[in-house]
Amino acid sequence: MKRKMLLMAVFTVLSYAVMAQKMTVATYNMRNDNNKEDAAHGNGWKQRYPVIASMIRFHGFDIFGTQECMHHQLENLKDSLPGYAYIGIGRDDGKEAGEYSAIFYNGVKFKLLEHGDFWMAEETDKPKKGWDAVLPRICTWGKFKEIKTGFTFYFFNLHMDHVGVKARAESAKLVMDKVRKMAGNIPTILTGDFNVDQQSESYTLINTSGLLKDAYETTAIRYAENGTFNAFNPNSKTDSRIDHIFLTRQFRVEKYGILTDTYRGPVVTENGDDKVSSADFPKEVSLKKYVARVPSDHFPVMAIITWK
């Protein structure tokens, strides 16, 4: 009997593995390129975006939400990611001005069926600051079909206000209302920089809605040794997650991770000596003085999700 039950369990697992489809989704606030101080401190966009593009390709993001990018930043990324396209508009004028909440997707894997944008405000169809927000905030959405299987889903991506408490709560209600009316029973993914952590009112409104659930809580495997904001300091530590991936019940989360990848930037010394002296490694190894850097002031959040 035990042997029979074990064989049945193995068969169930194998059957799910064969039948389940899979994709890698992510959300990433990449930091806007309008602050000269970033470049002065070694964190300029031109230095960062090749690293960001390499990270995306290495981890195999199939579809991901971005926050804070200006139009030229999105074009830089698109040029660095062959096969990818993006949707979205600038929040300041509904065209190309201001930050986007753009969605990138692998055009080889997905076909875009419909897309649009709305502002998180009392009036959603034009650039406007909502409630107590200090900036106009926009949400971009797309309806996609996986080309191989025909699986159809919605993807919403947003960036909530960093000051307005009421604006964040009302934005959460607005987005959920849009998901219900637009997507209905169609599987839906919501990503973004929510500017609040897992203890906040607006987060709780979404996570306990019965409509969407944080991938962090439902994952089978979790890699989250830090929160999601780092202020360009690779040595910082927080438990606050302000960047989230929410999913409807049709999805199963296989893996969830907050990617704390770093890269190295050169160190300028007064005497010009950038070599590291040590007797603890082979003389064939050449080490130089570099400093650890992060590609953005947020860490990207990634989830591998499956469905049947």
Side-chain angles (χ1 to χ4, degrees):
M1 177 62 74
K2 289 183 178 180
R3 185 171 181 272
K4 184 178 179 181
M5 291 177 66
L6 178 61
L7 288 173
M8 289 178 63
V10 171
F11 177 77
T12 300
V13 172
L14 291 175
S15 297
Y16 186 89
V18 171
M19 295 171 60
Q21 304 298 320
K22 184 182 298 187
M23 69 170 129
T24 300
V25 303
T27 183
Y28 200 175
N29 182 320
M30 298 181 182
R31 174 68 171 176
N32 60 48
D33 183 27
N34 61 10
N35 192 333
K36 294 181 179 179
E37 290 184 9
D38 288 351
H41 289 91
N43 297 311
W45 173 248
K46 290 182 180 180
Q47 178 176 317
R48 298 188 292 110
Y49 86 77
V51 180
I52 290 174
S54 294
M55 184 193 302
I56 290 167
R57 295 178 69 183
F58 178 80
H59 288 291
F61 293 179
D62 292 313
I63 185 167
F64 58 97
T66 69
Q67 300 87 40
E68 286 203 14
C69 285
M70 317 291 278
H71 182 76
H72 71 278
Q73 292 178 272
L74 298 172
E75 290 297 310
N76 290 154
L77 275 178
K78 183 181 176 183
D79 291 343
S80 303
L81 296 171
Y84 286 78
Y86 72 87
I87 54 174
I89 55 177
R91 70 186 186 188
D92 290 355
D93 66 352
K95 297 177 182 178
E96 296 183 359
E99 297 177 5
Y100 287 55
S101 291
I103 300 169
F104 271 81
Y105 62 98
N106 186 337
V108 176
K109 186 166 185 173
F110 303 115
K111 179 180 180 180
L112 178 64
L113 302 178
E114 301 174 35
H115 70 95
D117 312 85
F118 58 88
W119 278 263
M120 291 181 287
E122 295 90 336
E123 296 179 70
T124 64
D125 59 349
K126 60 183 178 181
K128 186 177 181 181
K129 291 184 286 187
W131 302 284
D132 58 348
V134 298
L135 293 168
R137 299 292 181 172
I138 197 169
C139 179
T140 291
W141 63 269
K143 184 179 182 182
F144 297 90
K145 179 175 75 173
E146 190 189 39
I147 296 170
K148 183 179 179 181
T149 65
F151 174 73
T152 300
F153 64 97
Y154 275 86
F155 195 111
F156 290 74
N157 179 59
L158 56 78
H159 187 183
M160 286 190 181
D161 199 66
H162 64 302
V163 175
V165 175
K166 182 177 181 180
R168 290 193 292 261
E170 294 299 327
S171 294
K173 297 173 187 175
L174 172 65
V175 170
M176 287 191 292
D177 184 59
K178 292 283 188 180
V179 170
R180 288 190 180 97
K181 290 179 179 178
M182 294 170 59
N185 293 321
I186 297 175
T188 299
I189 301 164
L190 168 63
T191 66
D193 174 358
F194 291 75
N195 266 317
V196 291
D197 71 6
Q198 60 273 24
Q199 308 299 328
S200 75
E201 176 190 5
S202 52
Y203 170 92
T204 302
L205 281 169
I206 298 173
N207 198 45
T208 61
S209 64
L211 176 66
L212 295 152
K213 195 72 177 176
D214 187 354
Y216 175 93
E217 294 193 357
T218 62
T219 186
I221 299 173
R222 180 186 300 134
Y223 174 64
E225 298 301 312
N226 206 334
T228 64
F229 183 71
N230 60 59
F232 278 127
N233 180 1
N235 297 313
S236 63
K237 177 72 170 72
T238 179
D239 293 323
S240 294
R241 294 177 285 107
I242 65 173
D243 304 89
H244 306 289
I245 298 173
F246 292 100
L247 306 165
T248 53
R249 64 183 180 276
Q250 295 94 335
F251 293 108
R252 178 175 179 266
V253 187
E254 187 176 282
K255 295 181 181 180
Y256 170 100
I258 298 172
L259 306 180
T260 56
D261 301 46
T262 63
Y263 68 104
R264 300 297 178 268
V267 174
V268 179
T269 59
E270 292 182 3
N271 60 8
D273 182 14
D274 63 351
K275 293 183 179 180
V276 176
S277 299
S278 176
D280 296 331
F281 59 86
K283 62 182 179 181
E284 290 82 4
V285 177
S286 175
L287 289 181
K288 294 185 177 181
K289 294 176 183 177
Y290 273 65
V291 62
R293 296 190 180 279
V294 285
S296 177
D297 59 350
H298 289 240
F299 293 121
V301 180
M302 182 189 94
I304 298 175
I305 63 175
T306 61
W307 69 92
K308 285 187 181 181

